[in-house]
Amino acid sequence: MIAHMPVTVRLRFVGFWDGFDPRDNFFTRLLGPRYVIDQEAPPDYVLYTTVGSRRKEFLEYDCTRIFFTGENVGPDWLNCDWALTFRHDPHPRHLRLPLWVLYADAATLVKPPVVDAGRILAAKDRFCGFVVSNPLCRTRNDFFHRLSRYRRVDSGGRLFNNVGGRVADKRAFLAGCRFTIAFENESSPGYTTEKVVEPMLVDSIPIYWGDPLVGRDFDTTSFLSAHDSPSLDDLVERVVAVDRDPLLLERLLRRPWLRGNRVPRCADPAGILGFFERIFTEPVAPVARRGGIARVLRLHRVPAALESIGHRLRRRARKRYAPR
């Protein structure tokens, strides 16, 4: 039997967040078994995002550009050839890859046929956890205060901290909580980050707000979604009702986290790998080498410039509204 040599791909990671390891990350682990990733030679492909300190660096490359984001922004097709974002976008060169997929092996969220909910609850000594640093989401802040009027919500992040300092291990902290306030920074269809899955991984029931289409990936009967309530006060009432009814609490914990108790399409490693195979094999002329009036007028730089301005404004807002 003839063994096939792995294909070498000249790929570079550009503009990622501080602490991102270009040698060991979700993408290298996904591609590693099938491809040799050469990050030293001039790249044929650039996988970039725009959150790091060099968020416009991707413009320096005229090879195939692959855009990835976990933030609430969409692909800029004037500057990228392929895109992986949270959006439910039918574009033929787009793949939905919400940020939560990078934080959890979706297979670990598939529940066994029998769940010992009583044993799980016996190990939890806190009502509700809250681990947040970003102070800018008024909806999340408002809900924290509303729920706190019923019972103390333990805040282990920088925002509203009441446990004597920021917790060192977020998941270990949430493991002791029956509920977790799992609100996104913003609400947008498809925008689902790690906030909903981190409590699931430690059997803490999420109280969720953010993606109004969250039910396409997750079973919303296993947690409390704000998108099923007409108001935040109604959501508080639902939390109180579950907290006061041990049988209802156990029933929630027995429900599957994932819709149909199956790994959703967006988190299927085979599907994500297949998308990269298309990128590496389909002949697409890089957008950076194409002509056209937009590039002549340098309009392709406008989205990156606007994003940079927005980034600076958000930083100023965080400083202005941060709790003192």
mmCIF file with all atom_site columns, all heavy atoms in Angstrom, residues 11-35:
data_model
loop_
_atom_site.group_PDB
_atom_site.id
_atom_site.type_symbol
_atom_site.label_atom_id
_atom_site.label_alt_id
_atom_site.label_comp_id
_atom_site.label_asym_id
_atom_site.label_entity_id
_atom_site.label_seq_id
_atom_site.pdbx_PDB_ins_code
_atom_site.Cartn_x
_atom_site.Cartn_y
_atom_site.Cartn_z
_atom_site.occupancy
_atom_site.B_iso_or_equiv
_atom_site.pdbx_formal_charge
_atom_site.auth_seq_id
_atom_site.auth_comp_id
_atom_site.auth_asym_id
_atom_site.auth_atom_id
_atom_site.pdbx_PDB_model_num
ATOM 1   N N   . LEU A 1 11 ? 1.206   28.849 4.579  1.00 0.00 ? 11 LEU A N   1
ATOM 2   C CA  . LEU A 1 11 ? 0.114   29.576 5.233  1.00 0.00 ? 11 LEU A CA  1
ATOM 3   C C   . LEU A 1 11 ? 0.676   30.421 6.362  1.00 0.00 ? 11 LEU A C   1
ATOM 4   O O   . LEU A 1 11 ? 1.536   29.966 7.128  1.00 0.00 ? 11 LEU A O   1
ATOM 5   C CB  . LEU A 1 11 ? -0.906  28.579 5.793  1.00 0.00 ? 11 LEU A CB  1
ATOM 6   C CG  . LEU A 1 11 ? -2.031  29.116 6.673  1.00 0.00 ? 11 LEU A CG  1
ATOM 7   C CD1 . LEU A 1 11 ? -2.997  29.962 5.857  1.00 0.00 ? 11 LEU A CD1 1
ATOM 8   C CD2 . LEU A 1 11 ? -2.777  27.963 7.351  1.00 0.00 ? 11 LEU A CD2 1
ATOM 9   N N   . ARG A 1 12 ? 0.180   31.632 6.487  1.00 0.00 ? 12 ARG A N   1
ATOM 10  C CA  . ARG A 1 12 ? 0.626   32.515 7.567  1.00 0.00 ? 12 ARG A CA  1
ATOM 11  C C   . ARG A 1 12 ? -0.582  33.083 8.304  1.00 0.00 ? 12 ARG A C   1
ATOM 12  O O   . ARG A 1 12 ? -1.613  33.385 7.713  1.00 0.00 ? 12 ARG A O   1
ATOM 13  C CB  . ARG A 1 12 ? 1.479   33.652 7.002  1.00 0.00 ? 12 ARG A CB  1
ATOM 14  C CG  . ARG A 1 12 ? 2.171   34.507 8.075  1.00 0.00 ? 12 ARG A CG  1
ATOM 15  C CD  . ARG A 1 12 ? 3.269   35.354 7.472  1.00 0.00 ? 12 ARG A CD  1
ATOM 16  N NE  . ARG A 1 12 ? 4.312   34.532 6.858  1.00 0.00 ? 12 ARG A NE  1
ATOM 17  C CZ  . ARG A 1 12 ? 5.352   35.031 6.200  1.00 0.00 ? 12 ARG A CZ  1
ATOM 18  N NH1 . ARG A 1 12 ? 5.480   36.332 6.061  1.00 0.00 ? 12 ARG A NH1 1
ATOM 19  N NH2 . ARG A 1 12 ? 6.249   34.219 5.672  1.00 0.00 ? 12 ARG A NH2 1
ATOM 20  N N   . PHE A 1 13 ? -0.446  33.231 9.637  1.00 0.00 ? 13 PHE A N   1
ATOM 21  C CA  . PHE A 1 13 ? -1.488  33.824 10.475 1.00 0.00 ? 13 PHE A CA  1
ATOM 22  C C   . PHE A 1 13 ? -1.140  35.291 10.719 1.00 0.00 ? 13 PHE A C   1
ATOM 23  O O   . PHE A 1 13 ? -0.020  35.606 11.119 1.00 0.00 ? 13 PHE A O   1
ATOM 24  C CB  . PHE A 1 13 ? -1.589  33.082 11.806 1.00 0.00 ? 13 PHE A CB  1
ATOM 25  C CG  . PHE A 1 13 ? -2.007  31.643 11.660 1.00 0.00 ? 13 PHE A CG  1
ATOM 26  C CD1 . PHE A 1 13 ? -1.056  30.623 11.581 1.00 0.00 ? 13 PHE A CD1 1
ATOM 27  C CD2 . PHE A 1 13 ? -3.346  31.302 11.595 1.00 0.00 ? 13 PHE A CD2 1
ATOM 28  C CE1 . PHE A 1 13 ? -1.437  29.303 11.444 1.00 0.00 ? 13 PHE A CE1 1
ATOM 29  C CE2 . PHE A 1 13 ? -3.743  29.973 11.457 1.00 0.00 ? 13 PHE A CE2 1
ATOM 30  C CZ  . PHE A 1 13 ? -2.778  28.978 11.376 1.00 0.00 ? 13 PHE A CZ  1
ATOM 31  N N   . VAL A 1 14 ? -2.110  36.159 10.508 1.00 0.00 ? 14 VAL A N   1
ATOM 32  C CA  . VAL A 1 14 ? -1.844  37.597 10.551 1.00 0.00 ? 14 VAL A CA  1
ATOM 33  C C   . VAL A 1 14 ? -2.926  38.311 11.355 1.00 0.00 ? 14 VAL A C   1
ATOM 34  O O   . VAL A 1 14 ? -4.124  38.025 11.203 1.00 0.00 ? 14 VAL A O   1
ATOM 35  C CB  . VAL A 1 14 ? -1.799  38.175 9.111  1.00 0.00 ? 14 VAL A CB  1
ATOM 36  C CG1 . VAL A 1 14 ? -1.723  39.700 9.141  1.00 0.00 ? 14 VAL A CG1 1
ATOM 37  C CG2 . VAL A 1 14 ? -0.616  37.604 8.341  1.00 0.00 ? 14 VAL A CG2 1
ATOM 38  N N   . GLY A 1 15 ? -2.505  39.229 12.224 1.00 0.00 ? 15 GLY A N   1
ATOM 39  C CA  . GLY A 1 15 ? -3.441  40.121 12.908 1.00 0.00 ? 15 GLY A CA  1
ATOM 40  C C   . GLY A 1 15 ? -4.238  39.507 14.027 1.00 0.00 ? 15 GLY A C   1
ATOM 41  O O   . GLY A 1 15 ? -5.257  40.080 14.444 1.00 0.00 ? 15 GLY A O   1
ATOM 42  N N   . PHE A 1 16 ? -3.810  38.366 14.565 1.00 0.00 ? 16 PHE A N   1
ATOM 43  C CA  . PHE A 1 16 ? -4.579  37.713 15.619 1.00 0.00 ? 16 PHE A CA  1
ATOM 44  C C   . PHE A 1 16 ? -4.332  38.380 16.974 1.00 0.00 ? 16 PHE A C   1
ATOM 45  O O   . PHE A 1 16 ? -3.436  39.202 17.140 1.00 0.00 ? 16 PHE A O   1
ATOM 46  C CB  . PHE A 1 16 ? -4.244  36.221 15.680 1.00 0.00 ? 16 PHE A CB  1
ATOM 47  C CG  . PHE A 1 16 ? -5.024  35.398 14.679 1.00 0.00 ? 16 PHE A CG  1
ATOM 48  C CD1 . PHE A 1 16 ? -4.683  35.409 13.334 1.00 0.00 ? 16 PHE A CD1 1
ATOM 49  C CD2 . PHE A 1 16 ? -6.105  34.639 15.084 1.00 0.00 ? 16 PHE A CD2 1
ATOM 50  C CE1 . PHE A 1 16 ? -5.403  34.666 12.410 1.00 0.00 ? 16 PHE A CE1 1
ATOM 51  C CE2 . PHE A 1 16 ? -6.837  33.895 14.166 1.00 0.00 ? 16 PHE A CE2 1
ATOM 52  C CZ  . PHE A 1 16 ? -6.483  33.906 12.827 1.00 0.00 ? 16 PHE A CZ  1
ATOM 53  N N   . TRP A 1 17 ? -5.145  37.990 17.940 1.00 0.00 ? 17 TRP A N   1
ATOM 54  C CA  . TRP A 1 17 ? -5.114  38.586 19.265 1.00 0.00 ? 17 TRP A CA  1
ATOM 55  C C   . TRP A 1 17 ? -3.813  38.254 20.003 1.00 0.00 ? 17 TRP A C   1
ATOM 56  O O   . TRP A 1 17 ? -3.110  37.288 19.687 1.00 0.00 ? 17 TRP A O   1
ATOM 57  C CB  . TRP A 1 17 ? -6.307  38.091 20.079 1.00 0.00 ? 17 TRP A CB  1
ATOM 58  C CG  . TRP A 1 17 ? -6.494  36.594 20.035 1.00 0.00 ? 17 TRP A CG  1
ATOM 59  C CD1 . TRP A 1 17 ? -5.862  35.657 20.789 1.00 0.00 ? 17 TRP A CD1 1
ATOM 60  C CD2 . TRP A 1 17 ? -7.365  35.864 19.152 1.00 0.00 ? 17 TRP A CD2 1
ATOM 61  N NE1 . TRP A 1 17 ? -6.282  34.398 20.469 1.00 0.00 ? 17 TRP A NE1 1
ATOM 62  C CE2 . TRP A 1 17 ? -7.210  34.489 19.450 1.00 0.00 ? 17 TRP A CE2 1
ATOM 63  C CE3 . TRP A 1 17 ? -8.270  36.242 18.142 1.00 0.00 ? 17 TRP A CE3 1
ATOM 64  C CZ2 . TRP A 1 17 ? -7.905  33.497 18.783 1.00 0.00 ? 17 TRP A CZ2 1
ATOM 65  C CZ3 . TRP A 1 17 ? -8.974  35.242 17.476 1.00 0.00 ? 17 TRP A CZ3 1
ATOM 66  C CH2 . TRP A 1 17 ? -8.795  33.900 17.801 1.00 0.00 ? 17 TRP A CH2 1
ATOM 67  N N   . ASP A 1 18 ? -3.505  39.055 21.003 1.00 0.00 ? 18 ASP A N   1
ATOM 68  C CA  . ASP A 1 18 ? -2.343  38.812 21.840 1.00 0.00 ? 18 ASP A CA  1
ATOM 69  C C   . ASP A 1 18 ? -2.478  37.452 22.517 1.00 0.00 ? 18 ASP A C   1
ATOM 70  O O   . ASP A 1 18 ? -3.552  37.099 23.018 1.00 0.00 ? 18 ASP A O   1
ATOM 71  C CB  . ASP A 1 18 ? -2.199  39.900 22.906 1.00 0.00 ? 18 ASP A CB  1
ATOM 72  C CG  . ASP A 1 18 ? -1.923  41.272 22.297 1.00 0.00 ? 18 ASP A CG  1
ATOM 73  O OD1 . ASP A 1 18 ? -1.453  41.320 21.147 1.00 0.00 ? 18 ASP A OD1 1
ATOM 74  O OD2 . ASP A 1 18 ? -2.197  42.282 22.975 1.00 0.00 ? 18 ASP A OD2 1
ATOM 75  N N   . GLY A 1 19 ? -1.401  36.697 22.526 1.00 0.00 ? 19 GLY A N   1
ATOM 76  C CA  . GLY A 1 19 ? -1.418  35.369 23.125 1.00 0.00 ? 19 GLY A CA  1
ATOM 77  C C   . GLY A 1 19 ? -1.737  34.269 22.137 1.00 0.00 ? 19 GLY A C   1
ATOM 78  O O   . GLY A 1 19 ? -1.613  33.081 22.474 1.00 0.00 ? 19 GLY A O   1
ATOM 79  N N   . PHE A 1 20 ? -2.144  34.614 20.932 1.00 0.00 ? 20 PHE A N   1
ATOM 80  C CA  . PHE A 1 20 ? -2.419  33.602 19.905 1.00 0.00 ? 20 PHE A CA  1
ATOM 81  C C   . PHE A 1 20 ? -1.110  32.941 19.493 1.00 0.00 ? 20 PHE A C   1
ATOM 82  O O   . PHE A 1 20 ? -0.119  33.605 19.191 1.00 0.00 ? 20 PHE A O   1
ATOM 83  C CB  . PHE A 1 20 ? -3.077  34.264 18.689 1.00 0.00 ? 20 PHE A CB  1
ATOM 84  C CG  . PHE A 1 20 ? -3.337  33.322 17.541 1.00 0.00 ? 20 PHE A CG  1
ATOM 85  C CD1 . PHE A 1 20 ? -4.474  32.534 17.520 1.00 0.00 ? 20 PHE A CD1 1
ATOM 86  C CD2 . PHE A 1 20 ? -2.436  33.222 16.481 1.00 0.00 ? 20 PHE A CD2 1
ATOM 87  C CE1 . PHE A 1 20 ? -4.728  31.673 16.459 1.00 0.00 ? 20 PHE A CE1 1
ATOM 88  C CE2 . PHE A 1 20 ? -2.672  32.364 15.421 1.00 0.00 ? 20 PHE A CE2 1
ATOM 89  C CZ  . PHE A 1 20 ? -3.812  31.585 15.412 1.00 0.00 ? 20 PHE A CZ  1
ATOM 90  N N   . ASP A 1 21 ? -1.087  31.609 19.477 1.00 0.00 ? 21 ASP A N   1
ATOM 91  C CA  . ASP A 1 21 ? 0.106   30.850 19.124 1.00 0.00 ? 21 ASP A CA  1
ATOM 92  C C   . ASP A 1 21 ? -0.023  30.369 17.675 1.00 0.00 ? 21 ASP A C   1
ATOM 93  O O   . ASP A 1 21 ? -0.838  29.485 17.394 1.00 0.00 ? 21 ASP A O   1
ATOM 94  C CB  . ASP A 1 21 ? 0.274   29.652 20.058 1.00 0.00 ? 21 ASP A CB  1
ATOM 95  C CG  . ASP A 1 21 ? 1.578   28.899 19.834 1.00 0.00 ? 21 ASP A CG  1
ATOM 96  O OD1 . ASP A 1 21 ? 2.253   29.147 18.808 1.00 0.00 ? 21 ASP A OD1 1
ATOM 97  O OD2 . ASP A 1 21 ? 1.922   28.054 20.682 1.00 0.00 ? 21 ASP A OD2 1
ATOM 98  N N   . PRO A 1 22 ? 0.745   30.924 16.751 1.00 0.00 ? 22 PRO A N   1
ATOM 99  C CA  . PRO A 1 22 ? 0.607   30.517 15.348 1.00 0.00 ? 22 PRO A CA  1
ATOM 100 C C   . PRO A 1 22 ? 1.032   29.077 15.092 1.00 0.00 ? 22 PRO A C   1
ATOM 101 O O   . PRO A 1 22 ? 0.694   28.510 14.050 1.00 0.00 ? 22 PRO A O   1
ATOM 102 C CB  . PRO A 1 22 ? 1.505   31.509 14.600 1.00 0.00 ? 22 PRO A CB  1
ATOM 103 C CG  . PRO A 1 22 ? 2.494   31.977 15.619 1.00 0.00 ? 22 PRO A CG  1
ATOM 104 C CD  . PRO A 1 22 ? 1.759   31.974 16.921 1.00 0.00 ? 22 PRO A CD  1
ATOM 105 N N   . ARG A 1 23 ? 1.745   28.479 16.035 1.00 0.00 ? 23 ARG A N   1
ATOM 106 C CA  . ARG A 1 23 ? 2.205   27.097 15.857 1.00 0.00 ? 23 ARG A CA  1
ATOM 107 C C   . ARG A 1 23 ? 1.241   26.074 16.438 1.00 0.00 ? 23 ARG A C   1
ATOM 108 O O   . ARG A 1 23 ? 1.239   24.916 16.027 1.00 0.00 ? 23 ARG A O   1
ATOM 109 C CB  . ARG A 1 23 ? 3.590   26.910 16.520 1.00 0.00 ? 23 ARG A CB  1
ATOM 110 C CG  . ARG A 1 23 ? 4.647   27.875 16.018 1.00 0.00 ? 23 ARG A CG  1
ATOM 111 C CD  . ARG A 1 23 ? 5.045   27.544 14.601 1.00 0.00 ? 23 ARG A CD  1
ATOM 112 N NE  . ARG A 1 23 ? 5.963   28.540 14.050 1.00 0.00 ? 23 ARG A NE  1
ATOM 113 C CZ  . ARG A 1 23 ? 6.451   28.492 12.821 1.00 0.00 ? 23 ARG A CZ  1
ATOM 114 N NH1 . ARG A 1 23 ? 6.089   27.508 12.009 1.00 0.00 ? 23 ARG A NH1 1
ATOM 115 N NH2 . ARG A 1 23 ? 7.267   29.448 12.390 1.00 0.00 ? 23 ARG A NH2 1
ATOM 116 N N   . ASP A 1 24 ? 0.445   26.491 17.391 1.00 0.00 ? 24 ASP A N   1
ATOM 117 C CA  . ASP A 1 24 ? -0.464  25.551 18.057 1.00 0.00 ? 24 ASP A CA  1
ATOM 118 C C   . ASP A 1 24 ? -1.782  26.261 18.323 1.00 0.00 ? 24 ASP A C   1
ATOM 119 O O   . ASP A 1 24 ? -1.908  27.028 19.276 1.00 0.00 ? 24 ASP A O   1
ATOM 120 C CB  . ASP A 1 24 ? 0.151   25.050 19.364 1.00 0.00 ? 24 ASP A CB  1
ATOM 121 C CG  . ASP A 1 24 ? -0.734  24.023 20.061 1.00 0.00 ? 24 ASP A CG  1
ATOM 122 O OD1 . ASP A 1 24 ? -1.629  23.463 19.395 1.00 0.00 ? 24 ASP A OD1 1
ATOM 123 O OD2 . ASP A 1 24 ? -0.538  23.795 21.266 1.00 0.00 ? 24 ASP A OD2 1
ATOM 124 N N   . ASN A 1 25 ? -2.759  26.013 17.481 1.00 0.00 ? 25 ASN A N   1
ATOM 125 C CA  . ASN A 1 25 ? -4.059  26.656 17.627 1.00 0.00 ? 25 ASN A CA  1
ATOM 126 C C   . ASN A 1 25 ? -5.121  25.785 16.969 1.00 0.00 ? 25 ASN A C   1
ATOM 127 O O   . ASN A 1 25 ? -4.810  24.714 16.437 1.00 0.00 ? 25 ASN A O   1
ATOM 128 C CB  . ASN A 1 25 ? -4.036  28.066 17.013 1.00 0.00 ? 25 ASN A CB  1
ATOM 129 C CG  . ASN A 1 25 ? -3.600  28.057 15.560 1.00 0.00 ? 25 ASN A CG  1
ATOM 130 O OD1 . ASN A 1 25 ? -4.329  27.587 14.674 1.00 0.00 ? 25 ASN A OD1 1
ATOM 131 N ND2 . ASN A 1 25 ? -2.400  28.570 15.280 1.00 0.00 ? 25 ASN A ND2 1
ATOM 132 N N   . PHE A 1 26 ? -6.345  26.217 17.006 1.00 0.00 ? 26 PHE A N   1
ATOM 133 C CA  . PHE A 1 26 ? -7.451  25.442 16.438 1.00 0.00 ? 26 PHE A CA  1
ATOM 134 C C   . PHE A 1 26 ? -7.180  25.044 14.990 1.00 0.00 ? 26 PHE A C   1
ATOM 135 O O   . PHE A 1 26 ? -7.421  23.903 14.579 1.00 0.00 ? 26 PHE A O   1
ATOM 136 C CB  . PHE A 1 26 ? -8.738  26.262 16.528 1.00 0.00 ? 26 PHE A CB  1
ATOM 137 C CG  . PHE A 1 26 ? -9.918  25.656 15.814 1.00 0.00 ? 26 PHE A CG  1
ATOM 138 C CD1 . PHE A 1 26 ? -10.691 24.682 16.432 1.00 0.00 ? 26 PHE A CD1 1
ATOM 139 C CD2 . PHE A 1 26 ? -10.253 26.055 14.524 1.00 0.00 ? 26 PHE A CD2 1
ATOM 140 C CE1 . PHE A 1 26 ? -11.779 24.124 15.773 1.00 0.00 ? 26 PHE A CE1 1
ATOM 141 C CE2 . PHE A 1 26 ? -11.337 25.496 13.863 1.00 0.00 ? 26 PHE A CE2 1
ATOM 142 C CZ  . PHE A 1 26 ? -12.095 24.529 14.489 1.00 0.00 ? 26 PHE A CZ  1
ATOM 143 N N   . PHE A 1 27 ? -6.663  25.967 14.205 1.00 0.00 ? 27 PHE A N   1
ATOM 144 C CA  . PHE A 1 27 ? -6.474  25.728 12.776 1.00 0.00 ? 27 PHE A CA  1
ATOM 145 C C   . PHE A 1 27 ? -5.302  24.790 12.503 1.00 0.00 ? 27 PHE A C   1
ATOM 146 O O   . PHE A 1 27 ? -5.403  23.907 11.651 1.00 0.00 ? 27 PHE A O   1
ATOM 147 C CB  . PHE A 1 27 ? -6.293  27.056 12.045 1.00 0.00 ? 27 PHE A CB  1
ATOM 148 C CG  . PHE A 1 27 ? -7.464  27.979 12.173 1.00 0.00 ? 27 PHE A CG  1
ATOM 149 C CD1 . PHE A 1 27 ? -7.413  29.074 13.037 1.00 0.00 ? 27 PHE A CD1 1
ATOM 150 C CD2 . PHE A 1 27 ? -8.630  27.749 11.468 1.00 0.00 ? 27 PHE A CD2 1
ATOM 151 C CE1 . PHE A 1 27 ? -8.500  29.915 13.175 1.00 0.00 ? 27 PHE A CE1 1
ATOM 152 C CE2 . PHE A 1 27 ? -9.732  28.586 11.596 1.00 0.00 ? 27 PHE A CE2 1
ATOM 153 C CZ  . PHE A 1 27 ? -9.666  29.671 12.457 1.00 0.00 ? 27 PHE A CZ  1
ATOM 154 N N   . THR A 1 28 ? -4.197  24.955 13.217 1.00 0.00 ? 28 THR A N   1
ATOM 155 C CA  . THR A 1 28 ? -3.063  24.057 12.993 1.00 0.00 ? 28 THR A CA  1
ATOM 156 C C   . THR A 1 28 ? -3.397  22.637 13.432 1.00 0.00 ? 28 THR A C   1
ATOM 157 O O   . THR A 1 28 ? -2.977  21.669 12.797 1.00 0.00 ? 28 THR A O   1
ATOM 158 C CB  . THR A 1 28 ? -1.804  24.548 13.735 1.00 0.00 ? 28 THR A CB  1
ATOM 159 O OG1 . THR A 1 28 ? -2.079  24.654 15.138 1.00 0.00 ? 28 THR A OG1 1
ATOM 160 C CG2 . THR A 1 28 ? -1.351  25.904 13.209 1.00 0.00 ? 28 THR A CG2 1
ATOM 161 N N   . ARG A 1 29 ? -4.164  22.519 14.517 1.00 0.00 ? 29 ARG A N   1
ATOM 162 C CA  . ARG A 1 29 ? -4.551  21.174 14.965 1.00 0.00 ? 29 ARG A CA  1
ATOM 163 C C   . ARG A 1 29 ? -5.520  20.528 13.985 1.00 0.00 ? 29 ARG A C   1
ATOM 164 O O   . ARG A 1 29 ? -5.503  19.307 13.794 1.00 0.00 ? 29 ARG A O   1
ATOM 165 C CB  . ARG A 1 29 ? -5.144  21.247 16.368 1.00 0.00 ? 29 ARG A CB  1
ATOM 166 C CG  . ARG A 1 29 ? -4.131  21.617 17.446 1.00 0.00 ? 29 ARG A CG  1
ATOM 167 C CD  . ARG A 1 29 ? -4.690  21.434 18.846 1.00 0.00 ? 29 ARG A CD  1
ATOM 168 N NE  . ARG A 1 29 ? -5.738  22.401 19.144 1.00 0.00 ? 29 ARG A NE  1
ATOM 169 C CZ  . ARG A 1 29 ? -5.526  23.602 19.661 1.00 0.00 ? 29 ARG A CZ  1
ATOM 170 N NH1 . ARG A 1 29 ? -4.283  24.008 19.914 1.00 0.00 ? 29 ARG A NH1 1
ATOM 171 N NH2 . ARG A 1 29 ? -6.540  24.412 19.923 1.00 0.00 ? 29 ARG A NH2 1
ATOM 172 N N   . LEU A 1 30 ? -6.371  21.333 13.375 1.00 0.00 ? 30 LEU A N   1
ATOM 173 C CA  . LEU A 1 30 ? -7.324  20.812 12.400 1.00 0.00 ? 30 LEU A CA  1
ATOM 174 C C   . LEU A 1 30 ? -6.609  20.369 11.118 1.00 0.00 ? 30 LEU A C   1
ATOM 175 O O   . LEU A 1 30 ? -6.867  19.283 10.578 1.00 0.00 ? 30 LEU A O   1
ATOM 176 C CB  . LEU A 1 30 ? -8.355  21.885 12.061 1.00 0.00 ? 30 LEU A CB  1
ATOM 177 C CG  . LEU A 1 30 ? -9.365  21.544 10.958 1.00 0.00 ? 30 LEU A CG  1
ATOM 178 C CD1 . LEU A 1 30 ? -10.438 20.606 11.495 1.00 0.00 ? 30 LEU A CD1 1
ATOM 179 C CD2 . LEU A 1 30 ? -10.011 22.808 10.401 1.00 0.00 ? 30 LEU A CD2 1
ATOM 180 N N   . LEU A 1 31 ? -5.685  21.202 10.640 1.00 0.00 ? 31 LEU A N   1
ATOM 181 C CA  . LEU A 1 31 ? -5.030  20.947 9.360  1.00 0.00 ? 31 LEU A CA  1
ATOM 182 C C   . LEU A 1 31 ? -3.828  20.015 9.484  1.00 0.00 ? 31 LEU A C   1
ATOM 183 O O   . LEU A 1 31 ? -3.452  19.362 8.503  1.00 0.00 ? 31 LEU A O   1
ATOM 184 C CB  . LEU A 1 31 ? -4.562  22.283 8.743  1.00 0.00 ? 31 LEU A CB  1
ATOM 185 C CG  . LEU A 1 31 ? -5.658  23.308 8.424  1.00 0.00 ? 31 LEU A CG  1
ATOM 186 C CD1 . LEU A 1 31 ? -5.027  24.644 8.015  1.00 0.00 ? 31 LEU A CD1 1
ATOM 187 C CD2 . LEU A 1 31 ? -6.567  22.795 7.325  1.00 0.00 ? 31 LEU A CD2 1
ATOM 188 N N   . GLY A 1 32 ? -3.238  19.949 10.677 1.00 0.00 ? 32 GLY A N   1
ATOM 189 C CA  . GLY A 1 32 ? -1.981  19.220 10.860 1.00 0.00 ? 32 GLY A CA  1
ATOM 190 C C   . GLY A 1 32 ? -1.956  17.788 10.371 1.00 0.00 ? 32 GLY A C   1
ATOM 191 O O   . GLY A 1 32 ? -0.980  17.369 9.741  1.00 0.00 ? 32 GLY A O   1
ATOM 192 N N   . PRO A 1 33 ? -2.985  16.985 10.620 1.00 0.00 ? 33 PRO A N   1
ATOM 193 C CA  . PRO A 1 33 ? -2.941  15.591 10.161 1.00 0.00 ? 33 PRO A CA  1
ATOM 194 C C   . PRO A 1 33 ? -2.902  15.437 8.649  1.00 0.00 ? 33 PRO A C   1
ATOM 195 O O   . PRO A 1 33 ? -2.462  14.396 8.150  1.00 0.00 ? 33 PRO A O   1
ATOM 196 C CB  . PRO A 1 33 ? -4.231  15.001 10.746 1.00 0.00 ? 33 PRO A CB  1
ATOM 197 C CG  . PRO A 1 33 ? -4.562  15.865 11.908 1.00 0.00 ? 33 PRO A CG  1
ATOM 198 C CD  . PRO A 1 33 ? -4.151  17.237 11.493 1.00 0.00 ? 33 PRO A CD  1
ATOM 199 N N   . ARG A 1 34 ? -3.356  16.451 7.917  1.00 0.00 ? 34 ARG A N   1
ATOM 200 C CA  . ARG A 1 34 ? -3.432  16.313 6.457  1.00 0.00 ? 34 ARG A CA  1
ATOM 201 C C   . ARG A 1 34 ? -2.429  17.191 5.713  1.00 0.00 ? 34 ARG A C   1
ATOM 202 O O   . ARG A 1 34 ? -2.062  16.900 4.580  1.00 0.00 ? 34 ARG A O   1
ATOM 203 C CB  . ARG A 1 34 ? -4.843  16.650 5.977  1.00 0.00 ? 34 ARG A CB  1
ATOM 204 C CG  . ARG A 1 34 ? -5.065  16.360 4.502  1.00 0.00 ? 34 ARG A CG  1
ATOM 205 C CD  . ARG A 1 34 ? -6.531  16.308 4.147  1.00 0.00 ? 34 ARG A CD  1
ATOM 206 N NE  . ARG A 1 34 ? -7.248  15.296 4.908  1.00 0.00 ? 34 ARG A NE  1
ATOM 207 C CZ  . ARG A 1 34 ? -8.525  15.004 4.724  1.00 0.00 ? 34 ARG A CZ  1
ATOM 208 N NH1 . ARG A 1 34 ? -9.230  15.659 3.810  1.00 0.00 ? 34 ARG A NH1 1
ATOM 209 N NH2 . ARG A 1 34 ? -9.109  14.067 5.447  1.00 0.00 ? 34 ARG A NH2 1
ATOM 210 N N   . TYR A 1 35 ? -1.976  18.262 6.355  1.00 0.00 ? 35 TYR A N   1
ATOM 211 C CA  . TYR A 1 35 ? -1.106  19.211 5.667  1.00 0.00 ? 35 TYR A CA  1
ATOM 212 C C   . TYR A 1 35 ? 0.136   19.517 6.503  1.00 0.00 ? 35 TYR A C   1
ATOM 213 O O   . TYR A 1 35 ? 0.086   19.537 7.737  1.00 0.00 ? 35 TYR A O   1
ATOM 214 C CB  . TYR A 1 35 ? -1.840  20.524 5.393  1.00 0.00 ? 35 TYR A CB  1
ATOM 215 C CG  . TYR A 1 35 ? -3.045  20.380 4.502  1.00 0.00 ? 35 TYR A CG  1
ATOM 216 C CD1 . TYR A 1 35 ? -4.331  20.244 5.045  1.00 0.00 ? 35 TYR A CD1 1
ATOM 217 C CD2 . TYR A 1 35 ? -2.919  20.392 3.116  1.00 0.00 ? 35 TYR A CD2 1
ATOM 218 C CE1 . TYR A 1 35 ? -5.447  20.114 4.235  1.00 0.00 ? 35 TYR A CE1 1
ATOM 219 C CE2 . TYR A 1 35 ? -4.032  20.265 2.289  1.00 0.00 ? 35 TYR A CE2 1
ATOM 220 C CZ  . TYR A 1 35 ? -5.289  20.125 2.849  1.00 0.00 ? 35 TYR A CZ  1
ATOM 221 O OH  . TYR A 1 35 ? -6.385  19.989 2.038  1.00 0.00 ? 35 TYR A OH  1
#
